């Protein structure tokens, strides 16, 4: 085929695989549907292993050349394949899950030491630096159980005991919460002060209004008294 720029797949095949889309998928597990509608046979039952997920989107069916490509990458250590898979994943993320950060699931530490490189981190770095996608490295592996030795159901049931959120991330979240609470408290205090200032101004305004009213009233009373005195003087003058 044509040049592959370091990836062991010709550019024509890359384009064909990257542009492959499955329009009819199960709304729960993402499996390609042929005769079913909306949901595959497995996910129609209450025992579906994916019922707790909001969305699952398998990139490939694990068959034929796609299975071979994963073998080249994972087993035969063709690290350049990471760019190929990252391209496919980036297309899906941008189209289906925009503005949602990616959380890499870390592999076993023993596996990384044996291979000398971390496949998941390779993918994450490419997605982050080449495609500007947000990556949150917040998980850590807490056991060394090999997933390939487990059934699908076992993988799902044991996954909650295989990973945990990093303590540093939880502390960062707690610090952010404290910062938000501090800002919220500051805003509440500012609001209270503004309300007090407004109330004080209104009180002062009412006081000034009352003072002016009393002053005007007194002026009117003096004017009335002055008028009465004037009238009495005039009457006095008239009776002389």
């Amino acid at each position: 085929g044509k040049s592959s720029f370091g990836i062991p797949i010709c550019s024509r095949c890359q384009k064909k695989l990257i542009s492959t889309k499955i329009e009819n998928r199960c709304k729960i597990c993402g499996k390609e549907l042929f005769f079913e509608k909306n949901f595959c046979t497995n996910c129609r039952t209450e025992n579906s292993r994916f019922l707790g997920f909001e969305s699952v989107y398998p990139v490939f069916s694990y068959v034929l050349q796609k299975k071979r490509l994963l073998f080249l990458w994972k087993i035969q250590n063709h690290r350049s394949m990471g760019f190929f898979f990252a391209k496919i994943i980036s297309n899906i993320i941008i189209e289906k899950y925009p503005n949602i950060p990616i959380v890499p699931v870390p592999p076993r530490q023993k596996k990384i030491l044996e291979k000398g490189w971390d496949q998941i981190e390779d993918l994450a770095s490419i997605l982050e630096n080449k495609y500007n996608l947000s990556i949150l490295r917040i998980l850590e592996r807490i056991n060394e159980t090999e997933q390939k030795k487990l059934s699908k159901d076992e993988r799902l049931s044991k996954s909650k005991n295989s990973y945990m959120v990093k303590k540093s991330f939880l502390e960062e979240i707690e610090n952010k919460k404290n910062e938000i609470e501090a800002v919220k408290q500051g805003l509440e205090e500012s609001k209270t002060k503004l309300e007090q200032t407004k109330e004080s101004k209104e009180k002062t305004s009412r006081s000034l209004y009352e003072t002016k009213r009393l002053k005007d009233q007194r002026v009117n009373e003096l004017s009335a008294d002055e008028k009465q005195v004037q009238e009495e003087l005039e009457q006095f003058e008239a009776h002389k």
Side-chain angles (χ1 to χ4, degrees):
K2 297 183 179 180
S3 173
S4 62
F5 298 101
I7 301 175
I9 316 171
C10 73
S11 56
R12 183 180 301 170
C13 289
Q14 286 186 50
K15 185 176 180 180
K16 182 179 178 181
L17 288 167
I18 289 174
S19 62
T20 298
K21 288 187 177 181
I22 300 174
E23 299 297 339
N24 192 23
R25 289 178 177 267
C26 173
K27 291 185 177 181
I28 294 178
C29 71
K31 179 182 178 182
E32 183 177 8
L33 301 179
F34 295 99
F35 304 106
E36 303 102 323
K37 188 175 181 181
N38 295 327
F39 305 100
C40 69
T41 303
N42 291 333
C43 290
R44 290 177 188 274
T45 68
E46 294 183 357
N47 295 324
S48 171
R49 64 173 67 93
F50 295 108
L51 285 178
F53 290 78
E54 183 175 327
S55 176
V56 179
Y57 196 97
V59 177
F60 288 139
S61 297
Y62 192 56
V63 294
L64 304 175
Q65 71 269 31
K66 296 164 187 176
K67 183 177 181 179
R68 173 62 179 164
L69 293 177
L70 284 171
F71 183 82
L72 287 173
W73 181 51
K74 295 183 67 175
I75 308 302
Q76 295 190 342
N77 295 324
H78 284 270
R79 291 186 69 173
S80 58
M81 288 293 296
F83 288 93
F84 169 71
F85 289 119
K87 175 62 177 176
I88 297 173
I89 293 172
S90 69
N91 288 343
I92 294 171
I93 295 295
I94 292 170
E95 179 183 354
K96 301 290 184 181
Y97 310 104
N99 304 319
I100 297 180
I102 300 168
V103 179
V105 178
R108 294 178 298 113
Q109 190 62 32
K110 183 179 178 181
K111 181 179 179 181
I112 297 174
L113 294 174
E114 289 173 350
K115 285 184 168 294
W117 61 291
D118 184 344
Q119 295 164 338
I120 302 302
E121 181 54 33
D122 266 22
L123 268 181
S125 295
I126 297 169
L127 291 170
E128 183 176 41
N129 298 304
K130 185 175 176 63
Y131 299 103
N132 296 317
L133 296 178
S134 177
I135 306 294
L136 292 181
R137 297 172 175 83
I138 63 174
L139 295 181
E140 62 179 335
R141 190 75 176 250
I142 56 177
N143 70 39
E144 290 292 313
T145 303
E146 292 188 52
Q147 296 290 304
K148 65 183 179 182
K149 293 182 178 180
L150 304 175
S151 66
K152 290 181 179 180
D153 290 329
E154 287 175 332
R155 291 184 185 187
L156 287 173
S157 65
K158 292 181 180 296
S159 61
K160 61 182 180 181
N161 298 320
S162 298
Y163 311 96
M164 66 177 294
V165 178
K166 292 179 180 178
K167 184 179 179 180
S168 58
F169 180 75
L170 294 175
E171 291 174 347
E172 182 180 347
I173 292 297
E174 190 63 29
N175 291 335
K176 291 292 183 183
K177 285 172 61 178
N178 293 336
E179 289 176 9
I180 292 172
E181 284 299 321
V183 171
K184 183 179 178 181
Q185 184 177 351
L187 290 173
E188 288 293 335
E189 291 175 356
S190 297
K191 180 181 178 182
T192 301
K193 288 180 180 179
L194 285 173
E195 290 175 348
Q196 290 174 345
T197 301
K198 181 181 178 182
E199 184 179 348
S200 177
K201 286 183 178 179
E202 289 176 350
K203 187 176 180 180
T204 301
S205 178
R206 287 194 299 269
S207 177
L208 290 172
Y209 173 80
E210 183 64 16
T211 301
K212 184 177 183 300
R213 187 186 69 79
L214 293 173
K215 179 181 179 182
D216 291 341
Q217 182 180 341
R218 183 58 181 158
V219 168
N220 291 334
E221 290 174 351
L222 290 173
S223 296
D225 291 344
E226 183 179 358
K227 183 177 180 182
Q228 184 178 356
V229 170
Q230 184 65 33
E231 289 176 350
E232 289 177 352
L233 286 174
E234 291 176 352
Q235 289 177 0
F236 178 77
E237 290 293 332
H239 290 294
K240 275 187 176 181

